[in-house]
Amino acid sequence: MKKIIVILLLIQTLNLFSQSNEKLGFEIAQKAVLMDQGFKSLSTKLKMTLKNRNGQTSERLLENKILEQVEDGDFSLIIFNTPKDVKGTATLTYTHKIGPDDQWLFLPAVNRVKRISSSNKSGPFMGSEFSFEDLASAELEKYSYKFIAEKDEFKIVEAYPVDEKSGYSKRVVYYNSKKNYRVEKVEFYDRKGDHLKTLRYEKFNLYKEKFWRADVFIMKNHQTNKETVLEFSDWNFDVNFSRDDFTQEALKKAGN
Amino acid sequence: MTKYKINLILALVFHLKLISQNFNFDSDIKISEEFRYFFNDPSFQGQEDFFPSYSLTPKFNIKFNDNNIIFRGFFRHDKDIRRTHVDLREFYYQTSISQYDFSIGYHQVFWGVVESNNLVDIINQNDAVESPFGNDKLGQPLSKFTYSSKNTGIFSFFLMPFHRKIVFPGKKARFRFPVVLNRNFIKYEKNNKKLKKDFAFRWNHYFDIVDIGLSYFNGNGREPIFNRNTFMAFYPMISQFGLDLQLTFETFLFKFEGIKRTADLQSFYAQVVGLEYTLNNVNGNGLDIGMISEYSYDDRGALAVNSLQNDVFIGTRFNWNDFSGTSLLVGLLSDIKYNSQSFSCDFSRRFKEVYKINLEFQYFLNIDSRELLLPFFINDHFFKIELSQFF
């Protein structure tokens, strides 16, 4: 009888312990999101460099426009400038905190705007090591969390995707608690639980005395040895977009 | 007074400075070499089998503040003199004031949601010599006024002062009739000199998973009415209502396009219903496989100019999402009522960043003699290879 009580107590405490780790994990992720709130509008340019196993590289140039939303997910426009055969191709996305995002694609050769399914989470973005979900806006509601450990200034949290279509079983996220909880490293684990990719953020700058942004994202695929590097430039937090800058008409204009 | 003038000059100088600060010029050119080979003997005298050809697509845009000038030209040289042609695909000026947008010039306008038969798409004339069944369209001169809002959608008004006629292939070309027709073969219903201007309106918006477009067109039809017995044809005065609809259920898309076209001689209803399902990342390496099935119906029956009066299109699209943007579309178009069937295949892939290869294959498995125009093309199966370089 005593033994049973001890075991029950033990389970109870373990349970409490894990519960509090989940709560702590969520709080850290939430802190990171809250600290980054209020940037309102942002436009950047980016260069994507794809490296294959043999070290051959290929470059793509893109532009990105974001309008922050508080109630629901952010709006974004991505415009492709190279490769030249797809120049002017652009996407418009209304991210949702819950449920699939709304997404449109503009094809300049035929001047056509197409509503596309946003449920392709795990597929690669333009042949890169980034999947669509890696580049989607980081909404808190898209994961459940668990605090794992604390190493120096880093708080390490595991994030488990809510969406079954995600290509990951978990992401291990390194938050820097001394720098507004900015994310400096993410490890991705595939559906089988194997370590698939690692994303490192480098060359941070502080904008508007509040928002940390990395100029360089390095995504390394451990299973294929391929790598993709994103280099951001021309950060502009003063663009002052409105919701009407994110219509299908605006999408067409962005691509033309 | 002088002070006022100085202020004005200063203001102008400041304005010019602003313009030059936001001035942006960008230009590109695409050069393509194309070979088309028709592997059956021709149906009519003078037609040839092998068509080497090249085309140029120069492009530039000038942006200053909220003003744009867009230019996209097209030139092709071909064995067929009619296919040797030049066109202003786009050349327009556009200016915006907040949500209002005005533009004037040559435009390419696309409406619709389906893949095999875009019924609602009516602004531009088809570039029939460029691709008899393809997506190429002639630039349409027009002025356009648009109001767009995230909450109420996009309202567009079009005024088109000139109508563009279909260009028919020349003597050496395939996809022609027994006699070589010239542009003036098809007359207008209304006297040429009193040509009525064309007008169009469209509203499109989205609600959650629903994308909807309502359109209206009034003026000279783009599609001629053919008289099968006299083989005479003319562009009728029409008015057309169109509806296009897409429901996006995650990987499953439902599509609809319907039109009601009214003319003195011929009024009809036509529709396309389609389903599209995509399997994402099939091989764990990014391969998407999309399955498309679309059913076209047209009241005109055998008189439907595009012969899609009771037809099913079944297609599979492979998208590798790789380094080279490799894609393949395989399709089968079958007539339910008549015994006609055609197979098509389209492959493209980029290489060395600035080159692109495009392969196309079309084969008529059978053409029913009761069809309106298709029997003339019964021997026009072809294989095409196109190599493009981008500068």
Side-chain angles (χ1 to χ4, degrees):
Chain A
M1 190 62 192
K2 252 187 189 172
K3 254 187 190 169
I4 291 171
I5 290 171
V6 169
I7 288 168
L8 276 176
L9 272 173
L10 211 70
I11 289 170
Q12 189 69 12
T13 35
L14 275 173
N15 211 359
L16 271 175
F17 181 69
S18 70
Q19 257 182 20
S20 65
N21 274 342
E22 276 153 24
K23 204 170 158 232
L24 194 55
F26 175 80
E27 281 168 1
I28 292 164
Q30 190 181 35
K31 237 177 229 166
V33 169
L34 288 176
M35 293 268 188
D36 203 52
Q37 234 167 46
F39 69 87
K40 289 184 181 127
S41 296
L42 169 62
S43 77
T44 59
K45 290 188 174 168
L46 68 135
K47 183 167 92 178
M48 183 185 259
T49 310
L50 317 182
K51 280 183 205 164
N52 70 10
R53 247 166 295 213
N54 310 319
Q56 286 169 312
T57 62
S58 163
E59 276 178 16
R60 281 111 178 73
L61 298 174
L62 302 98
E63 283 172 56
N64 192 10
K65 296 174 178 184
I66 302 169
L67 178 68
E68 184 186 28
Q69 299 289 298
V70 179
E71 303 274 292
D72 202 355
D74 295 347
F75 297 173
S76 87
L77 263 175
I78 298 175
I79 305 129
F80 302 83
N81 289 327
T82 66
K84 282 210 165 171
D85 64 309
V86 294
K87 183 176 178 176
T89 304
T91 60
L92 167 69
T93 311
Y94 303 142
T95 317
H96 295 304
K97 294 193 171 178
I98 294 155
D101 300 339
D102 301 330
Q103 197 164 54
W104 291 264
L105 175 69
F106 174 68
L107 301 165
V110 281
N111 243 302
R112 178 174 183 175
V113 173
K114 252 180 160 177
R115 171 81 175 258
I116 54 172
S117 158
S118 65
S119 55
N120 183 7
K121 301 278 175 194
S122 60
F125 177 78
M126 291 191 86
S128 75
E129 295 314 307
F130 287 86
S131 66
F132 289 95
E133 62 183 316
D134 298 341
L135 293 166
S137 95
E139 302 299 336
L140 199 57
E141 291 79 358
K142 298 210 162 180
Y143 298 90
S144 62
Y145 302 88
K146 189 173 171 186
F147 173 72
I148 296 299
E150 190 163 355
K151 245 189 240 165
D152 307 322
E153 69 266 45
F154 291 104
K155 297 206 190 282
I156 305 166
V157 173
E158 287 187 351
Y160 313 98
V162 174
D163 193 330
E164 294 163 4
K165 293 197 185 73
S166 166
Y168 309 122
S169 54
K170 69 174 179 190
R171 306 189 316 150
V172 182
V173 189
Y174 291 71
Y175 294 94
N176 188 330
S177 59
K178 294 221 168 104
K179 305 276 188 195
N180 277 356
Y181 285 83
R182 68 186 194 197
V183 175
E184 295 198 13
K185 186 168 101 171
V186 183
E187 291 158 356
F188 299 85
Y189 289 79
D190 63 18
R191 280 288 173 192
K192 284 176 238 146
D194 297 330
H195 190 185
L196 177 64
K197 303 187 288 192
T198 302
L199 171 60
R200 283 171 202 284
Y201 298 85
E202 288 177 5
K203 295 191 182 158
F204 280 93
N205 289 303
L206 188 64
Y207 297 91
K208 303 237 151 187
E209 294 165 5
K210 190 178 172 203
F211 311 113
W212 285 104
R213 290 288 183 278
D215 277 348
V216 181
F217 292 18
I218 303 163
M219 181 70 98
K220 173 106 186 152
N221 188 319
H222 302 291
Q223 296 179 2
T224 62
N225 254 330
K226 289 196 241 174
E227 194 180 276
T228 299
V229 179
L230 298 186
E231 288 164 273
F232 290 83
S233 63
D234 302 78
W235 292 93
N236 186 351
F237 283 86
D238 297 312
V239 268
N240 232 330
F241 293 131
S242 81
R243 289 163 65 90
D244 296 318
D245 292 320
F246 291 81
T247 61
Q248 291 177 48
E249 196 64 18
L251 172 68
K252 265 193 230 170
K253 256 198 261 174
N256 260 317
Chain B
M1 194 62 192
T2 9
K3 201 179 165 191
Y4 178 75
K5 267 186 187 162
I6 289 167
N7 275 343
L8 194 74
I9 290 165
L10 278 176
L12 270 173
V13 168
F14 182 67
H15 188 70
L16 282 174
K17 204 180 159 206
L18 265 183
I19 287 176
S20 64
Q21 269 175 357
N22 291 301
F23 186 85
N24 191 324
F25 177 81
D26 191 24
S27 71
D28 300 276
I29 184 161
K30 174 186 168 188
I31 298 177
S32 303
E33 223 174 318
E34 183 196 86
F35 302 95
R36 286 185 305 156
Y37 179 65
F38 294 80
F39 37 88
N40 269 25
D41 287 337
S43 307
F44 310 115
Q45 215 187 351
Q47 286 186 317
E48 300 208 8
D49 298 336
F50 180 59
F51 295 85
S53 173
Y54 69 88
S55 70
L56 307 173
T57 313
K59 227 161 134 180
F60 70 76
N61 63 52
I62 301 168
K63 296 188 181 191
F64 46 101
N65 295 332
D66 284 325
N67 302 280
N68 288 317
I69 294 171
I70 309 253
F71 169 83
R72 182 154 62 97
F74 181 76
F75 170 74
R76 174 174 296 285
H77 183 268
D78 194 271
K79 227 179 189 176
D80 171 19
I81 47 159
R82 294 275 178 80
R83 201 165 181 253
T84 298
H85 67 302
V86 65
D87 187 41
L88 275 176
R89 292 290 197 239
E90 287 177 293
F91 186 33
Y92 61 87
Y93 166 76
Q94 175 183 55
T95 184
S96 337
I97 302 162
S98 82
Q99 288 151 263
Y100 301 92
D101 202 282
F102 175 76
S103 67
I104 186 161
Y106 281 76
H107 276 260
Q108 293 270 324
V109 178
F110 181 92
W111 297 347
V113 289
V114 302
E115 302 301 315
S116 61
N117 182 16
N118 287 110
L119 289 168
V120 300
D121 193 34
I122 192 167
I123 299 288
N124 296 83
Q125 182 62 271
N126 287 333
D127 187 347
V129 282
E130 185 55 22
S131 54
F133 307 104
N135 296 320
D136 296 288
K137 298 190 286 193
L138 299 172
Q140 171 67 45
L142 58 85
S143 54
K144 178 186 164 197
F145 175 77
T146 305
Y147 169 78
S148 56
S149 138
K150 168 85 173 61
N151 295 333
T152 55
I154 298 158
F155 299 83
S156 309
F157 300 86
F158 303 82
L159 198 62
M160 293 154 271
F162 309 107
H163 175 271
R164 299 198 66 182
K165 287 183 163 185
I166 295 175
V167 178
F168 293 100
K171 192 165 197 279
K172 290 180 181 172
R174 298 297 187 109
F175 292 110
R176 72 162 165 90
F177 307 112
V179 283
V180 176
L181 303 176
N182 63 43
R183 272 174 84 247
N184 294 325
F185 168 73
I186 304 181
K187 306 271 189 268
Y188 289 101
E189 182 177 359
K190 289 271 152 75
N191 183 345
N192 242 342
K193 283 176 186 167
K194 289 179 186 168
L195 257 190
K196 207 187 144 204
K197 303 206 179 346
D198 306 336
F199 166 80
F201 163 77
R202 178 173 163 87
W203 168 73
N204 66 296
H205 196 30
Y206 88 103
F207 304 93
D208 194 16
I209 62 160
V210 182
D211 280 71
I212 185 169
L214 287 173
S215 54
Y216 174 73
F217 175 93
N218 187 294
N220 298 280
R222 272 45 180 156
E223 206 178 54
I225 292 181
F226 278 93
N227 185 319
R228 227 184 161 182
N229 301 318
T230 61
F231 209 73
M232 294 291 276
F234 66 91
Y235 294 104
M237 292 302 299
I238 62 162
S239 65
Q240 174 173 312
F241 289 94
L243 164 69
D244 55 274
L245 196 67
Q246 180 175 323
L247 309 180
T248 306
F249 303 97
E250 306 221 355
T251 50
F252 184 81
L253 314 178
F254 169 83
K255 297 175 173 188
F256 174 86
E257 284 187 32
I259 55 167
K260 171 83 187 136
R261 189 183 296 172
T262 319
D264 283 347
L265 203 76
Q266 183 188 67
S267 293
F268 70 96
Y269 168 78
Q271 66 173 46
V272 187
V273 185
L275 294 174
E276 194 173 323
Y277 181 75
T278 306
L279 293 159
N280 287 317
N281 203 4
V282 177
N283 58 355
N285 231 333
L287 173 64
D288 292 340
I289 301 179
M291 284 160 292
I292 305 160
S293 59
E294 289 179 351
Y295 169 70
S296 289
Y297 169 80
D298 194 313
D299 250 1
R300 288 174 291 181
L303 289 173
V305 177
N306 62 7
S307 76
L308 296 169
Q309 89 292 2
N310 203 344
D311 291 53
V312 172
F313 173 81
I314 292 171
T316 308
R317 190 193 288 121
F318 299 86
N319 241 323
W320 275 266
N321 290 307
D322 57 351
F323 215 68
S324 315
T326 315
S327 76
L328 172 71
L329 176 67
V330 182
L332 185 72
L333 187 65
S334 314
D335 198 302
I336 293 175
K337 194 169 169 208
Y338 301 144
N339 187 22
S340 301
Q341 221 170 28
S342 79
F343 172 83
S344 65
C345 186
D346 199 330
F347 173 85
S348 76
R349 182 178 169 89
R350 173 177 54 241
F351 61 99
K352 289 191 173 161
E353 298 295 274
V354 292
Y355 297 96
K356 194 168 188 176
I357 188 160
N358 198 85
L359 306 172
E360 205 182 313
F361 174 70
Q362 183 157 13
Y363 195 86
F364 298 103
L365 297 161
N366 191 37
I367 291 178
D368 196 302
S369 56
R370 286 169 292 179
E371 302 263 13
L372 178 67
L373 302 174
L374 285 180
F376 298 116
F377 311 148
I378 196 153
N379 289 312
D380 297 341
H381 322 292
F382 71 95
F383 180 75
K384 177 181 121 176
I385 177 165
E386 186 185 43
L387 194 66
S388 306
Q389 187 175 0
F390 298 82
F391 296 94

